[in-house]
Amino acid sequence: MTLNRPLGLSLVAAALLTVYGCGKEEPKTVAPAAAPAMPEVTVKVGHVGPTTGPQAHLGKDNENGARLAIDDANTKGIVIDGKKVKFELVAEDDQADPKQGTTVAQKLVDAKVAGVVGHLNSGTSIPASKIYSDAGVPQISPSATNPKLTLQGFKTTFRVMANDVQQGSVIGKAAVETLGGKKIAIIDDKTAYGAGLADETEKAAKAAGATVVAREYTNDKATDFKAILTKIKAKSPDVIMYGGMDAQGGPMVKQMKELGIKAKYIAGDGVCSAEWPKLAGGAAEGQYCTQAGLPPDKMPNAKDFVTRFTAKYGPIQVYAPYSYDAAMTLIEAMKKANSPDPAKYLPELAKISYNGITAKIEFDEHGDTKNGAITLYQVKDGKLMPMAVNVAGKTEKVEAAAAPAAAPAAAPEAKKDEMKKDEMKKDEMKKDEKKK
């Protein structure tokens, strides 16, 4: 059988290439077996706040604070119990409604979250706290301030900001001493937060020597306050205090202006948001509010947080830094316990000492922060400007940026040396002139 010529040449060439072109065949090396990958585990952290409805801007502010904390933790490659941890934020909307609050709390428990950041409101946090307690799931609120939250005896309940006993006492005292109020009218929205804050303010105002001439009530869905304000106007108060949220606080001061009420206005942290002056349509100018906590630029470690948060999410409303700290504190406790199991890390959480961005995070026997602060603000040019800070019952004014300090006066001997140098320079200049 005759071999096809082109095919035959190709086979011969291939054989020659194998023998002469490749040379001696090198021994094959076997790659070392790859090290076994570190096992990974997903740890769920819940967040709850009103992300729909009139308080949505506050709820989303809280959620974004917690979300940034989770993102930051995931970039650190945290290892717990020999496993690389991926944290996942499970966010729920409680619509600022107590019934919805308990519904989503049970939903998070069923989802096996390791801990919860929230809720925003005291009215939702208090009923939800029992569900978390029954399930043994730690809960840290960044913003619920009613004292009842941590006085229920639940070992799983914590908060990272001052409560309304401290805030109400600051508002009541400021209404008398800073705003010059002798006759004070108080309105609240009948929520756990608003009523609680108003009660504490009333106590403090009376203790400071003021008379409460009116105590009126609304609700957290209202937008028309003219009937209440007309009744109050007849009492001629010097100051009107409101316990509630900014969705009502904005229209309220606007309607005060429309009715010609000259009284000064002060409210708590629920009103004291970046949105309040906008909601008031300019009527909040010159008025007052407080926040539980320090201004962001006075927080010990918040500069980087503020820069990154505002770049990603926009201006901070109120509580985002505290929400960030709440999430990070949960994670820090898990690291210390070397376990994301709530039963194992809860004891570490109770005795935590963690340098957060807002303050050193430490809790007392009730779960309240040991390092709470209250800041008094005034609206100037449509923005909240800090006036004074109260820490542990002591109030200090927030000074405006100081002018650069003058150079210290020279010592007498130094002055003599300078004068001699000046005289020598003058002599040299005269000699040069003569030469010319």
Side-chain angles (χ1 to χ4, degrees):
M1 182 175 175
T2 305
L3 183 67
N4 182 285
R5 184 175 177 82
L7 178 60
L9 289 173
S10 297
L11 291 173
V12 172
L16 290 172
L17 183 63
T18 302
V19 176
Y20 298 106
C22 294
K24 188 178 179 180
E25 187 177 349
E26 296 292 332
K28 293 181 180 179
T29 57
V30 179
M38 180 179 288
E40 294 187 4
V41 62
T42 297
V43 174
K44 296 178 181 179
V45 175
H47 175 273
V48 189
T51 51
T52 58
Q55 297 179 37
H57 57 290
L58 297 174
K60 204 65 185 174
D61 189 53
N62 275 24
E63 182 184 314
N64 288 337
R67 194 173 297 283
L68 188 57
I70 295 300
D71 290 345
D72 285 354
N74 283 334
T75 63
K76 294 177 181 177
I78 294 171
V79 176
I80 295 177
D81 192 25
K83 301 179 184 70
K84 186 177 179 181
V85 179
K86 179 187 176 184
F87 294 97
E88 178 186 329
L89 190 71
V90 183
E92 294 290 344
D93 175 16
D94 66 11
Q95 301 168 23
D97 177 75
K99 290 182 180 178
Q100 183 66 10
T102 55
T103 298
V104 296
Q106 187 60 55
K107 187 176 178 181
L108 289 178
V109 168
D110 294 342
K112 306 295 182 186
V113 296
V116 175
V117 176
H119 299 206
L120 171 79
N121 308 85
S122 297
T124 52
S125 294
I126 292 170
S129 62
K130 186 179 188 309
I131 292 172
Y132 300 131
S133 176
D134 290 347
V137 175
Q139 165 201 11
I140 303 179
S141 176
S143 48
T145 53
N146 190 297
K148 293 177 184 177
L149 175 64
T150 51
L151 294 178
Q152 301 172 97
F154 299 149
K155 299 298 183 184
T156 51
T157 306
F158 304 87
R159 65 173 136 223
V160 289
M161 63 161 47
N163 66 30
D164 287 335
V165 173
Q166 186 179 355
Q167 185 171 197
S169 66
V170 170
I171 294 174
K173 191 175 180 181
V176 177
E177 297 181 2
T178 304
L179 280 63
K182 294 181 179 179
K183 296 192 295 181
I184 297 174
I186 296 175
I187 309 169
D188 75 66
D189 65 0
K190 287 189 175 180
T191 65
Y193 162 70
L197 183 61
D199 289 344
E200 295 299 331
T201 299
E202 183 173 1
K203 291 177 192 174
K206 287 178 177 178
T211 300
V212 175
V213 296
R215 181 75 190 254
E216 297 291 337
Y217 306 92
T218 182
N219 63 70
D220 61 349
K221 304 293 188 295
T223 56
D224 186 352
F225 309 100
K226 287 188 176 178
I228 291 172
L229 292 171
T230 300
K231 285 173 66 178
I232 287 174
K233 184 180 180 181
K235 304 284 186 178
S236 301
D238 304 308
V239 176
I240 296 174
M241 180 270 170
Y242 176 58
M245 306 302 288
D246 60 3
Q248 287 67 49
M252 188 177 289
V253 290
K254 188 175 183 181
Q255 289 163 34
M256 279 175 58
K257 189 173 182 179
E258 290 169 357
L259 291 170
I261 296 174
K262 303 298 184 184
K264 293 174 182 175
Y265 180 93
I266 189 169
D269 57 321
V271 170
C272 207
S273 71
E275 284 295 301
W276 175 45
K278 300 174 188 175
L279 293 167
E285 191 68 22
Q287 303 293 15
Y288 301 82
C289 63
T290 59
Q291 285 184 9
L294 296 171
D297 62 346
K298 301 293 181 185
M299 292 174 185
N301 304 302
K303 186 176 180 180
D304 177 64
F305 167 84
V306 172
T307 300
R308 294 188 298 116
F309 183 93
T310 53
K312 191 168 186 178
Y313 300 114
I316 295 168
Q317 291 296 325
V318 184
Y319 310 111
Y322 297 91
S323 192
Y324 182 94
D325 268 357
M328 281 300 196
T329 301
L330 289 170
I331 292 168
E332 186 67 17
M334 294 178 201
K335 288 164 59 181
K336 286 185 177 295
N338 198 32
S339 174
D341 181 349
K344 293 180 180 178
Y345 84 78
L346 182 58
E348 293 293 339
L349 183 60
K351 62 183 181 181
I352 201 84
S353 182
Y354 170 63
N355 288 320
I357 62 168
T358 62
K360 178 172 276 192
I361 309 299
E362 296 173 318
F363 302 112
D364 66 14
E365 67 275 17
H366 301 297
D368 283 313
T369 178
K370 289 182 179 179
N371 299 304
I374 304 292
T375 301
L376 175 67
Y377 291 85
Q378 186 178 26
V379 180
K380 294 182 180 180
D381 297 324
K383 295 180 180 179
L384 299 175
M385 301 299 293
M387 294 184 65
V389 172
N390 181 285
V391 180
K394 295 180 180 179
T395 300
E396 292 184 6
K397 289 184 178 180
V398 176
E399 300 294 339
E413 292 301 320
K415 283 185 176 180
K416 288 180 182 178
D417 289 342
E418 287 176 7
M419 289 172 68
K420 285 180 181 179
K421 288 178 181 178
D422 287 342
E423 288 174 1
M424 289 173 66
K425 283 182 181 178
K426 288 177 182 177
D427 290 340
E428 287 177 2
M429 288 173 69
K430 287 178 181 178
K431 289 177 182 178
D432 289 342
E433 287 175 0
K434 286 179 180 178
K435 287 178 182 178
K436 290 178 181 177

